[in-house]
Amino acid sequence: MAEVGAAPARRLGLPDLPIWLLGTVLALLWGAPFLWMVSTSLKPADQVMTPVIEWIPREITFENYAKVFRYPVLTWALNSVIQAVVATGLCVLFGAMAGYALARLPFPGRRALFALFLAVLMIPSEIAVVPLLLAFIKAGLASTYAALILPQIGNVLAVYIFRQHYLTFPKELEEAALVDGAGRFKIFFTIALPLARAPLIATTVILFTLNWNNFLWPLLVTFDESMKTMPVGMAAFAPVVGTHTQLEGYAVAMAAVTILCIPSIALFLLTQRHFIQGIALGGVKG
Amino acid sequence: MRAEGSGWQAAGGARRDWTGWLFVAFFTLPFLLFNLAPLLFGVVLAFTEWGIIGDPVWVGTANFEQALADPWVANAFWNTFLYACTIVPGVVVFGLAFALFVHQRWPLSTLARTLFFTPNVVSATVIGLVWVWLLDTQFGLVNRYLAWLGIKPIPWLTSGDWSLIGVSIASIWWDLGLAFVLFLAALQDEPQELHEAAAIDGAGRIRRFVHVTLPHLRPTISMVVTLQIIASMRIFSQVYVMTNGAPHGSSQSVIHYIYQTAIVQYRLGYASAVSVLLFLAILAVTVLQRLLLRERAGG
C-alpha cells in the first residue's frame, strides 16, 4: 500500500480556491489549541487573563516551567520512561514472534489461538480493570513497576500487525536458510525480524505512544506519589482533580501539559509515515 | 484465515510441529494472565462483595439487582449513550470531510494531514487541561470568540446542561485522527478509472462523490462507526480530567462510575458487576452492528 495521504502535490485551480482556503483555515484552527497552550505557558502570571486576546506573549518567561518542576515531575518522567520502554519492548518482541508463528508456522491450535486473540482485542481493557486491580493488590504488587508494565505486554495489536506483515513475506528468503539446517529461532532472529523494519517501527511507535499516554490503569494502581506516571501526576493540575491550578493558575498548568506532550508529538513527527501506516492497518486506538 | 505455510509442513515431514507454540508462548503467557484471566475473574467477582481487605463473600446476584435499580448507574449509562450520540457523528462527519480535503493533494495538504492527526497522539491529561482552559467560562478562548458573535458566556464545564457537550467537544478533537486516517487510506484505494469514466460522462463533483466515492467508502464508514461507538462507550480519562463527572453526575460516564465505586468506595464486587453490564452493552452494540451489516450486504 502506498503511503497514506502523501503524494505529489496537485496544482490548485481557481475554482477550487475557496474550498482550499476553507480547509486550510480549518486545519490551522485544528492545531490552534496547541499554539494557545504553548503561548499561555510562556506568559507571566499577570498576563494570562487579559482583556484583549493575546496570541503572542508580550514578554516571554520560563517561570511557569520552573514552577512545574517544584512537583516531582522528574520522578514521574522516569516512571513513565521505564514503564513505556519496557512494556513496549517486550510487547513488540513477543508480539513479533507470535505474529510470525501465526503466519508462518503450522502448529496445532493455531487458528483457535488467533481467534482468541481477536476476540479479546474487541473487548476494551477497561472492562477488566477492577478485577486486575484487586489481583495486584492481593499479590502485594500494587504501586510497583511490575503492576505498571505486566498488563501492557499482552497487547494483541502487535501480534496483529506482525501477522499481517509475515503473511506476505517472501518464503524464498527463509527457505535457503532452512535447507542449510538453520533452526526456526535462528531464521526468525537473523532473517525474518531484521527484514520487518516497517512493522517494527510502526508497532514500536504506536505502542510506545499508547503506553506513554495510558491513564486509567496507572491512576488506579499507583498509590504513592513517587510511583505515578507523567499523565497521572500532571492530572493534578486539573482544577477538578487537584489543587495545583487554583494555587498556580492556568499558565503553570499549560507549562505542565506542554512538557507532557512534547515526547509523543516529537515521536509522531519523526515517524509520521510509519505511524499513520500502522494506524491505518491496525485500525485500533488505546 | 488461509492456511499459509501448509507447504512448509511437507518439507519438515508429516509430524506435528510444536515449534510454533514455543514462539507464541512468550506472548501468550502474559496475555492469558493479565488480559484474559482478569475478564473471567471479573465475572466471578461480580457475584461477590470483596473489599481491599478481607475475604470474598458470595452474594449471588445481589450486585446486579442493586445495579439495575441504582439511579446513578442509569444516569451513567444514559450519559455514555449521549456521549456516543455527540462524539460518533462529530468524528465521522469531520473525519470524512477532512480526509476528502487532504486527499485532493493541494498545496499544504501534508501539513493539514499532520495538524488533523496530531491531537490523537497526546495524552488525555493534555487534551483535558487544554480544553478546560479553552472552555473556561470567563476567560476561555471559545467564549471570548463567541462573544464577538454576541453570544453570552456559556458555562461549558460548570453547568449540568453543558458539561457533557464540553467534554464531547474535546473528545471529538482527540478522537478524530483515527477516523481521518482510516478514511484517507480508503480514499487512496479507490479505483481511479471509475472516477475518470464518471467525469467523462459529465458527472459533477457532488454526483461523483455520491455515486462513486460513497459506495466505495461504505465498509470503512461502518468500521469507523463501530470503532468509535466502542471508543465512546469506554470514555473516562477526559471526563476525569475535565469535570470528574460533575456537576451532579451530569457528565459522568459508566467507566467513571466504575472508577468511583471501586476506588472511592472500595466496592470492588459492585464495580465488577457494573463492568459486566457495560461489557454486555458493548457486546450488544457489536452484534447489532454485525446483523445490520449482514442484512444490508444480503439485501
mmCIF file of all heavy atoms in Angstrom, chain B residues 70-110:
data_model
loop_
_atom_site.group_PDB
_atom_site.id
_atom_site.type_symbol
_atom_site.label_atom_id
_atom_site.label_comp_id
_atom_site.label_asym_id
_atom_site.label_seq_id
_atom_site.Cartn_x
_atom_site.Cartn_y
_atom_site.Cartn_z
ATOM 1 N N ASP B 70 -30.046 1.083 40.626
ATOM 2 C CA ASP B 70 -29.257 2.242 41.049
ATOM 3 C C ASP B 70 -29.437 3.405 40.076
ATOM 4 O O ASP B 70 -29.091 3.298 38.888
ATOM 5 C CB ASP B 70 -27.768 1.819 41.095
ATOM 6 C CG ASP B 70 -26.861 2.914 41.614
ATOM 7 O OD1 ASP B 70 -27.294 4.083 41.659
ATOM 8 O OD2 ASP B 70 -25.702 2.601 41.961
ATOM 9 N N PRO B 71 -30.001 4.540 40.533
ATOM 10 C CA PRO B 71 -30.213 5.666 39.607
ATOM 11 C C PRO B 71 -28.897 6.212 39.043
ATOM 12 O O PRO B 71 -28.878 6.753 37.946
ATOM 13 C CB PRO B 71 -30.919 6.711 40.476
ATOM 14 C CG PRO B 71 -30.637 6.318 41.882
ATOM 15 C CD PRO B 71 -30.493 4.826 41.888
ATOM 16 N N TRP B 72 -27.793 6.052 39.785
ATOM 17 C CA TRP B 72 -26.505 6.541 39.276
ATOM 18 C C TRP B 72 -25.996 5.679 38.133
ATOM 19 O O TRP B 72 -25.324 6.177 37.228
ATOM 20 C CB TRP B 72 -25.464 6.596 40.405
ATOM 21 C CG TRP B 72 -25.778 7.690 41.380
ATOM 22 C CD1 TRP B 72 -26.293 7.554 42.620
ATOM 23 C CD2 TRP B 72 -25.624 9.104 41.156
ATOM 24 N NE1 TRP B 72 -26.476 8.783 43.202
ATOM 25 C CE2 TRP B 72 -26.076 9.745 42.325
ATOM 26 C CE3 TRP B 72 -25.174 9.870 40.085
ATOM 27 C CZ2 TRP B 72 -26.069 11.144 42.456
ATOM 28 C CZ3 TRP B 72 -25.165 11.254 40.204
ATOM 29 C CH2 TRP B 72 -25.607 11.870 41.379
ATOM 30 N N VAL B 73 -26.314 4.386 38.181
ATOM 31 C CA VAL B 73 -25.940 3.509 37.060
ATOM 32 C C VAL B 73 -26.728 3.912 35.815
ATOM 33 O O VAL B 73 -26.168 4.076 34.727
ATOM 34 C CB VAL B 73 -26.184 2.026 37.411
ATOM 35 C CG1 VAL B 73 -26.077 1.147 36.172
ATOM 36 C CG2 VAL B 73 -25.196 1.559 38.470
ATOM 37 N N ALA B 74 -28.028 4.127 36.004
ATOM 38 C CA ALA B 74 -28.870 4.540 34.879
ATOM 39 C C ALA B 74 -28.362 5.863 34.304
ATOM 40 O O ALA B 74 -28.244 6.028 33.084
ATOM 41 C CB ALA B 74 -30.317 4.679 35.345
ATOM 42 N N ASN B 75 -28.031 6.782 35.212
ATOM 43 C CA ASN B 75 -27.514 8.085 34.794
ATOM 44 C C ASN B 75 -26.229 7.930 33.984
ATOM 45 O O ASN B 75 -26.068 8.542 32.925
ATOM 46 C CB ASN B 75 -27.269 8.945 36.034
ATOM 47 C CG ASN B 75 -26.558 10.245 35.710
ATOM 48 O OD1 ASN B 75 -27.101 11.090 35.015
ATOM 49 N ND2 ASN B 75 -25.332 10.384 36.190
ATOM 50 N N ALA B 76 -25.307 7.078 34.473
ATOM 51 C CA ALA B 76 -24.022 6.904 33.789
ATOM 52 C C ALA B 76 -24.217 6.260 32.411
ATOM 53 O O ALA B 76 -23.573 6.657 31.440
ATOM 54 C CB ALA B 76 -23.081 6.052 34.648
ATOM 55 N N PHE B 77 -25.101 5.274 32.324
ATOM 56 C CA PHE B 77 -25.357 4.638 31.026
ATOM 57 C C PHE B 77 -26.012 5.631 30.058
ATOM 58 O O PHE B 77 -25.682 5.679 28.876
ATOM 59 C CB PHE B 77 -26.226 3.383 31.191
ATOM 60 C CG PHE B 77 -25.408 2.132 31.397
ATOM 61 C CD1 PHE B 77 -25.072 1.703 32.675
ATOM 62 C CD2 PHE B 77 -24.943 1.393 30.311
ATOM 63 C CE1 PHE B 77 -24.304 0.562 32.873
ATOM 64 C CE2 PHE B 77 -24.176 0.250 30.501
ATOM 65 C CZ PHE B 77 -23.857 -0.161 31.783
ATOM 66 N N TRP B 78 -26.944 6.428 30.576
ATOM 67 C CA TRP B 78 -27.613 7.423 29.733
ATOM 68 C C TRP B 78 -26.593 8.436 29.210
ATOM 69 O O TRP B 78 -26.567 8.771 28.017
ATOM 70 C CB TRP B 78 -28.734 8.088 30.528
ATOM 71 C CG TRP B 78 -29.397 9.232 29.808
ATOM 72 C CD1 TRP B 78 -29.372 10.549 30.164
ATOM 73 C CD2 TRP B 78 -30.192 9.158 28.610
ATOM 74 N NE1 TRP B 78 -30.086 11.301 29.261
ATOM 75 C CE2 TRP B 78 -30.599 10.471 28.289
ATOM 76 C CE3 TRP B 78 -30.580 8.106 27.761
ATOM 77 C CZ2 TRP B 78 -31.377 10.775 27.163
ATOM 78 C CZ3 TRP B 78 -31.352 8.413 26.640
ATOM 79 C CH2 TRP B 78 -31.748 9.722 26.356
ATOM 80 N N ASN B 79 -25.731 8.915 30.117
ATOM 81 C CA ASN B 79 -24.704 9.873 29.689
ATOM 82 C C ASN B 79 -23.775 9.267 28.645
ATOM 83 O O ASN B 79 -23.401 9.931 27.675
ATOM 84 C CB ASN B 79 -23.863 10.331 30.883
ATOM 85 C CG ASN B 79 -24.611 11.292 31.771
ATOM 86 O OD1 ASN B 79 -25.603 11.879 31.352
ATOM 87 N ND2 ASN B 79 -24.144 11.456 32.992
ATOM 88 N N THR B 80 -23.394 8.001 28.853
ATOM 89 C CA THR B 80 -22.498 7.344 27.900
ATOM 90 C C THR B 80 -23.169 7.233 26.538
ATOM 91 O O THR B 80 -22.532 7.436 25.501
ATOM 92 C CB THR B 80 -22.099 5.955 28.440
ATOM 93 O OG1 THR B 80 -21.524 6.134 29.737
ATOM 94 C CG2 THR B 80 -21.086 5.279 27.542
ATOM 95 N N PHE B 81 -24.468 6.952 26.554
ATOM 96 C CA PHE B 81 -25.239 6.927 25.307
ATOM 97 C C PHE B 81 -25.209 8.302 24.638
ATOM 98 O O PHE B 81 -24.979 8.430 23.433
ATOM 99 C CB PHE B 81 -26.683 6.493 25.623
ATOM 100 C CG PHE B 81 -27.616 6.570 24.462
ATOM 101 C CD1 PHE B 81 -27.524 5.654 23.420
ATOM 102 C CD2 PHE B 81 -28.582 7.564 24.394
ATOM 103 C CE1 PHE B 81 -28.387 5.732 22.335
ATOM 104 C CE2 PHE B 81 -29.452 7.654 23.313
ATOM 105 C CZ PHE B 81 -29.350 6.734 22.282
ATOM 106 N N LEU B 82 -25.388 9.362 25.452
ATOM 107 C CA LEU B 82 -25.351 10.724 24.904
ATOM 108 C C LEU B 82 -23.958 11.063 24.350
ATOM 109 O O LEU B 82 -23.848 11.716 23.308
ATOM 110 C CB LEU B 82 -25.755 11.748 25.971
ATOM 111 C CG LEU B 82 -27.217 11.716 26.430
ATOM 112 C CD1 LEU B 82 -27.459 12.807 27.470
ATOM 113 C CD2 LEU B 82 -28.166 11.903 25.238
ATOM 114 N N TYR B 83 -22.904 10.618 25.054
ATOM 115 C CA TYR B 83 -21.547 10.837 24.538
ATOM 116 C C TYR B 83 -21.415 10.224 23.151
ATOM 117 O O TYR B 83 -20.884 10.842 22.225
ATOM 118 C CB TYR B 83 -20.498 10.223 25.473
ATOM 119 C CG TYR B 83 -20.108 11.101 26.645
ATOM 120 C CD1 TYR B 83 -20.206 10.650 27.952
ATOM 121 C CD2 TYR B 83 -19.614 12.385 26.427
ATOM 122 C CE1 TYR B 83 -19.850 11.448 29.024
ATOM 123 C CE2 TYR B 83 -19.251 13.191 27.487
ATOM 124 C CZ TYR B 83 -19.374 12.716 28.790
ATOM 125 O OH TYR B 83 -19.013 13.516 29.840
ATOM 126 N N ALA B 84 -21.886 8.979 23.015
ATOM 127 C CA ALA B 84 -21.794 8.313 21.711
ATOM 128 C C ALA B 84 -22.582 9.096 20.667
ATOM 129 O O ALA B 84 -22.132 9.273 19.535
ATOM 130 C CB ALA B 84 -22.300 6.879 21.824
ATOM 131 N N CYS B 85 -23.759 9.618 21.064
ATOM 132 C CA CYS B 85 -24.604 10.349 20.117
ATOM 133 C C CYS B 85 -23.970 11.653 19.642
ATOM 134 O O CYS B 85 -24.280 12.136 18.557
ATOM 135 C CB CYS B 85 -25.972 10.665 20.744
ATOM 136 S SG CYS B 85 -26.982 9.217 20.943
ATOM 137 N N THR B 86 -23.113 12.254 20.454
ATOM 138 C CA THR B 86 -22.462 13.504 20.018
ATOM 139 C C THR B 86 -21.106 13.231 19.382
ATOM 140 O O THR B 86 -20.769 13.821 18.357
ATOM 141 C CB THR B 86 -22.273 14.482 21.202
ATOM 142 O OG1 THR B 86 -21.680 13.766 22.273
ATOM 143 C CG2 THR B 86 -23.559 15.088 21.641
ATOM 144 N N ILE B 87 -20.319 12.332 19.979
ATOM 145 C CA ILE B 87 -18.948 12.143 19.507
ATOM 146 C C ILE B 87 -18.909 11.387 18.184
ATOM 147 O O ILE B 87 -18.166 11.753 17.271
ATOM 148 C CB ILE B 87 -18.103 11.424 20.583
ATOM 149 C CG1 ILE B 87 -18.040 12.275 21.855
ATOM 150 C CG2 ILE B 87 -16.685 11.169 20.075
ATOM 151 C CD1 ILE B 87 -17.414 11.561 23.036
ATOM 152 N N VAL B 88 -19.717 10.319 18.053
ATOM 153 C CA VAL B 88 -19.649 9.497 16.837
ATOM 154 C C VAL B 88 -19.968 10.311 15.574
ATOM 155 O O VAL B 88 -19.165 10.326 14.645
ATOM 156 C CB VAL B 88 -20.534 8.235 16.955
ATOM 157 C CG1 VAL B 88 -20.536 7.455 15.653
ATOM 158 C CG2 VAL B 88 -20.048 7.351 18.095
ATOM 159 N N PRO B 89 -21.117 11.033 15.524
ATOM 160 C CA PRO B 89 -21.366 11.826 14.307
ATOM 161 C C PRO B 89 -20.293 12.888 14.077
ATOM 162 O O PRO B 89 -19.863 13.099 12.943
ATOM 163 C CB PRO B 89 -22.713 12.499 14.580
ATOM 164 C CG PRO B 89 -23.303 11.794 15.721
ATOM 165 C CD PRO B 89 -22.209 11.150 16.491
ATOM 166 N N GLY B 90 -19.842 13.533 15.149
ATOM 167 C CA GLY B 90 -18.804 14.558 15.012
ATOM 168 C C GLY B 90 -17.551 13.999 14.382
ATOM 169 O O GLY B 90 -17.011 14.565 13.420
ATOM 170 N N VAL B 91 -17.097 12.871 14.898
ATOM 171 C CA VAL B 91 -15.853 12.272 14.413
ATOM 172 C C VAL B 91 -16.023 11.789 12.967
ATOM 173 O O VAL B 91 -15.150 11.998 12.121
ATOM 174 C CB VAL B 91 -15.433 11.113 15.345
ATOM 175 C CG1 VAL B 91 -14.414 10.215 14.671
ATOM 176 C CG2 VAL B 91 -14.873 11.665 16.645
ATOM 177 N N VAL B 92 -17.166 11.163 12.666
ATOM 178 C CA VAL B 92 -17.356 10.608 11.321
ATOM 179 C C VAL B 92 -17.483 11.724 10.283
ATOM 180 O O VAL B 92 -16.804 11.722 9.254
ATOM 181 C CB VAL B 92 -18.588 9.668 11.288
ATOM 182 C CG1 VAL B 92 -18.909 9.254 9.862
ATOM 183 C CG2 VAL B 92 -18.334 8.446 12.152
ATOM 184 N N VAL B 93 -18.324 12.724 10.567
ATOM 185 C CA VAL B 93 -18.552 13.795 9.583
ATOM 186 C C VAL B 93 -17.286 14.620 9.364
ATOM 187 O O VAL B 93 -16.826 14.795 8.229
ATOM 188 C CB VAL B 93 -19.727 14.696 10.034
ATOM 189 C CG1 VAL B 93 -19.826 15.929 9.148
ATOM 190 C CG2 VAL B 93 -21.030 13.907 9.998
ATOM 191 N N PHE B 94 -16.687 15.097 10.453
ATOM 192 C CA PHE B 94 -15.468 15.912 10.304
ATOM 193 C C PHE B 94 -14.306 15.076 9.778
ATOM 194 O O PHE B 94 -13.532 15.536 8.937
ATOM 195 C CB PHE B 94 -15.098 16.583 11.628
ATOM 196 C CG PHE B 94 -15.968 17.756 11.967
ATOM 197 C CD1 PHE B 94 -16.839 17.698 13.046
ATOM 198 C CD2 PHE B 94 -15.927 18.915 11.211
ATOM 199 C CE1 PHE B 94 -17.656 18.775 13.364
ATOM 200 C CE2 PHE B 94 -16.745 19.990 11.514
ATOM 201 C CZ PHE B 94 -17.611 19.923 12.589
ATOM 202 N N GLY B 95 -14.193 13.844 10.267
ATOM 203 C CA GLY B 95 -13.100 12.982 9.810
ATOM 204 C C GLY B 95 -13.179 12.738 8.312
ATOM 205 O O GLY B 95 -12.175 12.811 7.604
ATOM 206 N N LEU B 96 -14.392 12.496 7.814
ATOM 207 C CA LEU B 96 -14.574 12.256 6.385
ATOM 208 C C LEU B 96 -14.312 13.535 5.584
ATOM 209 O O LEU B 96 -13.621 13.507 4.556
ATOM 210 C CB LEU B 96 -15.996 11.730 6.123
ATOM 211 C CG LEU B 96 -16.333 11.367 4.680
ATOM 212 C CD1 LEU B 96 -15.323 10.374 4.128
ATOM 213 C CD2 LEU B 96 -17.737 10.796 4.574
ATOM 214 N N ALA B 97 -14.838 14.657 6.073
ATOM 215 C CA ALA B 97 -14.638 15.931 5.362
ATOM 216 C C ALA B 97 -13.151 16.261 5.278
ATOM 217 O O ALA B 97 -12.636 16.615 4.208
ATOM 218 C CB ALA B 97 -15.405 17.045 6.079
ATOM 219 N N PHE B 98 -12.444 16.120 6.395
ATOM 220 C CA PHE B 98 -11.014 16.452 6.404
ATOM 221 C C PHE B 98 -10.233 15.492 5.502
ATOM 222 O O PHE B 98 -9.295 15.896 4.809
ATOM 223 C CB PHE B 98 -10.458 16.389 7.834
ATOM 224 C CG PHE B 98 -11.009 17.465 8.744
ATOM 225 C CD1 PHE B 98 -10.780 17.406 10.121
ATOM 226 C CD2 PHE B 98 -11.736 18.527 8.249
ATOM 227 C CE1 PHE B 98 -11.276 18.391 10.969
ATOM 228 C CE2 PHE B 98 -12.244 19.511 9.083
ATOM 229 C CZ PHE B 98 -12.019 19.429 10.451
ATOM 230 N N ALA B 99 -10.628 14.211 5.493
ATOM 231 C CA ALA B 99 -9.928 13.239 4.656
ATOM 232 C C ALA B 99 -10.131 13.566 3.179
ATOM 233 O O ALA B 99 -9.196 13.514 2.379
ATOM 234 C CB ALA B 99 -10.418 11.819 4.967
ATOM 235 N N LEU B 100 -11.377 13.936 2.813
ATOM 236 C CA LEU B 100 -11.651 14.313 1.419
ATOM 237 C C LEU B 100 -10.811 15.523 1.018
ATOM 238 O O LEU B 100 -10.277 15.587 -0.085
ATOM 239 C CB LEU B 100 -13.139 14.647 1.246
ATOM 240 C CG LEU B 100 -14.075 13.446 1.178
ATOM 241 C CD1 LEU B 100 -15.526 13.887 1.318
ATOM 242 C CD2 LEU B 100 -13.872 12.686 -0.123
ATOM 243 N N PHE B 101 -10.657 16.462 1.942
ATOM 244 C CA PHE B 101 -9.868 17.663 1.660
ATOM 245 C C PHE B 101 -8.396 17.306 1.461
ATOM 246 O O PHE B 101 -7.788 17.674 0.449
ATOM 247 C CB PHE B 101 -10.034 18.666 2.805
ATOM 248 C CG PHE B 101 -9.081 19.820 2.712
ATOM 249 C CD1 PHE B 101 -9.229 20.781 1.709
ATOM 250 C CD2 PHE B 101 -8.035 19.966 3.603
ATOM 251 C CE1 PHE B 101 -8.346 21.839 1.597
ATOM 252 C CE2 PHE B 101 -7.150 21.014 3.511
ATOM 253 C CZ PHE B 101 -7.306 21.958 2.503
ATOM 254 N N VAL B 102 -7.827 16.550 2.388
ATOM 255 C CA VAL B 102 -6.402 16.219 2.299
ATOM 256 C C VAL B 102 -6.134 15.342 1.067
ATOM 257 O O VAL B 102 -5.085 15.445 0.432
ATOM 258 C CB VAL B 102 -5.919 15.521 3.594
ATOM 259 C CG1 VAL B 102 -4.517 14.954 3.441
ATOM 260 C CG2 VAL B 102 -5.960 16.507 4.750
ATOM 261 N N HIS B 103 -7.132 14.508 0.712
ATOM 262 C CA HIS B 103 -6.981 13.607 -0.430
ATOM 263 C C HIS B 103 -6.815 14.366 -1.752
ATOM 264 O O HIS B 103 -6.290 13.818 -2.729
ATOM 265 C CB HIS B 103 -8.189 12.677 -0.501
ATOM 266 C CG HIS B 103 -8.091 11.646 -1.573
ATOM 267 N ND1 HIS B 103 -7.106 10.684 -1.586
ATOM 268 C CD2 HIS B 103 -8.827 11.437 -2.704
ATOM 269 C CE1 HIS B 103 -7.248 9.931 -2.660
ATOM 270 N NE2 HIS B 103 -8.278 10.362 -3.351
ATOM 271 N N GLN B 104 -7.239 15.623 -1.798
ATOM 272 C CA GLN B 104 -7.101 16.414 -3.033
ATOM 273 C C GLN B 104 -5.641 16.705 -3.367
ATOM 274 O O GLN B 104 -5.323 17.113 -4.477
ATOM 275 C CB GLN B 104 -7.873 17.742 -2.923
ATOM 276 C CG GLN B 104 -9.344 17.585 -2.635
ATOM 277 C CD GLN B 104 -10.048 16.717 -3.660
ATOM 278 O OE1 GLN B 104 -9.862 16.871 -4.858
ATOM 279 N NE2 GLN B 104 -10.831 15.759 -3.164
ATOM 280 N N ARG B 105 -4.764 16.547 -2.364
ATOM 281 C CA ARG B 105 -3.319 16.785 -2.539
ATOM 282 C C ARG B 105 -3.010 18.183 -3.057
ATOM 283 O O ARG B 105 -2.117 18.378 -3.872
ATOM 284 C CB ARG B 105 -2.711 15.755 -3.501
ATOM 285 C CG ARG B 105 -2.806 14.349 -2.966
ATOM 286 C CD ARG B 105 -2.427 13.385 -4.054
ATOM 287 N NE ARG B 105 -3.114 12.127 -3.906
ATOM 288 C CZ ARG B 105 -3.441 11.346 -4.933
ATOM 289 N NH1 ARG B 105 -3.142 11.706 -6.162
ATOM 290 N NH2 ARG B 105 -4.046 10.208 -4.732
ATOM 291 N N TRP B 106 -3.787 19.140 -2.604
ATOM 292 C CA TRP B 106 -3.494 20.521 -2.937
ATOM 293 C C TRP B 106 -2.293 20.972 -2.114
ATOM 294 O O TRP B 106 -1.896 20.279 -1.172
ATOM 295 C CB TRP B 106 -4.715 21.397 -2.641
ATOM 296 C CG TRP B 106 -5.812 21.239 -3.637
ATOM 297 C CD1 TRP B 106 -5.680 21.040 -4.984
ATOM 298 C CD2 TRP B 106 -7.224 21.250 -3.370
ATOM 299 N NE1 TRP B 106 -6.906 20.936 -5.573
ATOM 300 C CE2 TRP B 106 -7.886 21.068 -4.621
ATOM 301 C CE3 TRP B 106 -7.996 21.409 -2.226
ATOM 302 C CZ2 TRP B 106 -9.269 21.037 -4.731
ATOM 303 C CZ3 TRP B 106 -9.373 21.390 -2.350
ATOM 304 C CH2 TRP B 106 -10.013 21.200 -3.584
ATOM 305 N N PRO B 107 -1.726 22.150 -2.426
ATOM 306 C CA PRO B 107 -0.594 22.635 -1.622
ATOM 307 C C PRO B 107 -0.923 22.641 -0.127
ATOM 308 O O PRO B 107 -2.070 22.896 0.256
ATOM 309 C CB PRO B 107 -0.394 24.062 -2.140
ATOM 310 C CG PRO B 107 -0.898 24.036 -3.536
ATOM 311 C CD PRO B 107 -2.009 23.032 -3.569
ATOM 312 N N LEU B 108 0.048 22.341 0.674
ATOM 313 C CA LEU B 108 -0.050 22.307 2.150
ATOM 314 C C LEU B 108 -0.877 21.132 2.676
ATOM 315 O O LEU B 108 -1.183 21.077 3.866
ATOM 316 C CB LEU B 108 -0.635 23.623 2.707
ATOM 317 C CG LEU B 108 0.185 24.891 2.464
ATOM 318 C CD1 LEU B 108 -0.514 26.094 3.108
ATOM 319 C CD2 LEU B 108 1.592 24.754 3.019
ATOM 320 N N SER B 109 -1.230 20.172 1.809
ATOM 321 C CA SER B 109 -2.087 19.085 2.306
ATOM 322 C C SER B 109 -1.342 18.195 3.306
ATOM 323 O O SER B 109 -1.952 17.621 4.208
ATOM 324 C CB SER B 109 -2.631 18.241 1.148
ATOM 325 O OG SER B 109 -1.587 17.504 0.552
ATOM 326 N N THR B 110 -0.018 18.094 3.164
ATOM 327 C CA THR B 110 0.739 17.285 4.132
ATOM 328 C C THR B 110 0.711 17.939 5.509
ATOM 329 O O THR B 110 0.567 17.267 6.521
ATOM 330 C CB THR B 110 2.196 17.106 3.667
ATOM 331 O OG1 THR B 110 2.188 16.784 2.277
ATOM 332 C CG2 THR B 110 2.882 16.005 4.438
#
